Amino acid sequence: MLVMNEQIKASEVLLTGLDGEDLGIVSREEALALAKQHKVDLICTSLMSSPPPCSLISRSAAKEQASAAKREERKKDQPLKAKEIRLTPQIEDHDYDTKLRQCEKLLASGNAVDLVVKVQGKEGPKAKELLEQLLKDLAGSGKKETGIQLSGKQAAVRVLPL
């Protein structure tokens, strides 16, 4: 919700000009006169402080800023997307490096990563070792959400972006 022009009730406002320059504390009337003179709107950016900070912005720019802020808010509210990376306990060094780079890229773009190692027979400890190594190598770009879970045919861990 934008508070603009005559809707601003404060007697004095902390004014910011069109190019972001600080114009100091001026009366509401003076600020409105400046806005009319430059054919722009006086927009209040926060009602929480006294005097309220206001700026001279063209209406389209103000609406664009508000909608961008709403978009950001909606983006933050969405749950994390989790991407699954599958491995086997007998992974070659080159393949390991590739999977590691893939994980770092996914974490950098804000996705959670589920690392899943397929286990057959008595490979449980080896799979756990591999996941611990991966977690150590990913420490710079992510942190584990849960411990390593070993269940029947797989060992898994979820890594969240930092």
Side-chain angles (χ1 to χ4, degrees):
M1 163 76 185
L2 287 174
V3 179
M4 55 206 299
N5 299 335
E6 281 75 24
Q7 295 173 333
I8 298 168
K9 300 296 180 211
S11 57
E12 291 184 319
V13 296
L14 182 61
L15 192 61
T16 306
L18 283 167
D19 302 320
E21 71 277 10
D22 191 9
L23 301 175
I25 296 173
V26 296
S27 71
R28 172 179 170 251
E29 283 66 36
E30 195 181 327
L32 286 169
L34 268 171
K36 279 196 176 72
Q37 179 188 332
H38 292 296
K39 292 184 174 63
V40 292
D41 287 314
L42 182 66
I43 308 282
C44 185
T45 51
S46 167
L47 297 170
M48 296 303 154
S49 52
S50 176
C54 296
S55 49
L56 297 171
I57 306 178
S58 70
R59 181 168 286 164
S60 61
K63 281 185 179 169
E64 185 57 45
Q65 265 180 353
S67 68
K70 269 188 187 162
R71 264 197 310 273
E72 279 303 308
E73 204 54 41
R74 264 201 310 266
K75 210 177 207 179
K76 280 186 187 138
D77 290 346
Q78 287 179 351
L80 272 180
K81 284 198 174 79
K83 303 288 186 177
E84 188 173 295
I85 301 285
R86 292 181 179 184
L87 311 137
T88 58
Q90 313 83 334
I91 190 168
E92 299 289 325
D93 289 343
H94 171 72
D95 296 336
Y96 177 86
D97 294 339
T98 303
K99 294 288 186 184
L100 184 66
R101 270 199 315 277
Q102 204 175 359
C103 290
E104 284 170 344
K105 198 167 153 189
L106 287 168
L107 288 168
S109 67
N111 292 311
V113 176
D114 286 333
L115 298 169
V116 178
V117 179
K118 293 283 176 211
V119 179
Q120 295 171 342
K122 297 181 178 142
E123 294 174 335
K126 205 172 175 186
K128 193 170 180 176
E129 219 172 88
L130 173 68
L131 285 177
E132 282 167 357
Q133 182 61 45
L134 259 170
L135 286 171
K136 213 179 292 170
D137 292 341
L138 286 172
S141 47
K143 62 182 186 307
K144 65 180 179 179
E145 176 186 37
T146 56
I148 295 173
Q149 288 138 356
L150 264 158
S151 61
K153 296 186 177 193
Q154 68 181 24
V157 65
R158 174 170 283 188
V159 183
L160 299 175
L162 287 178

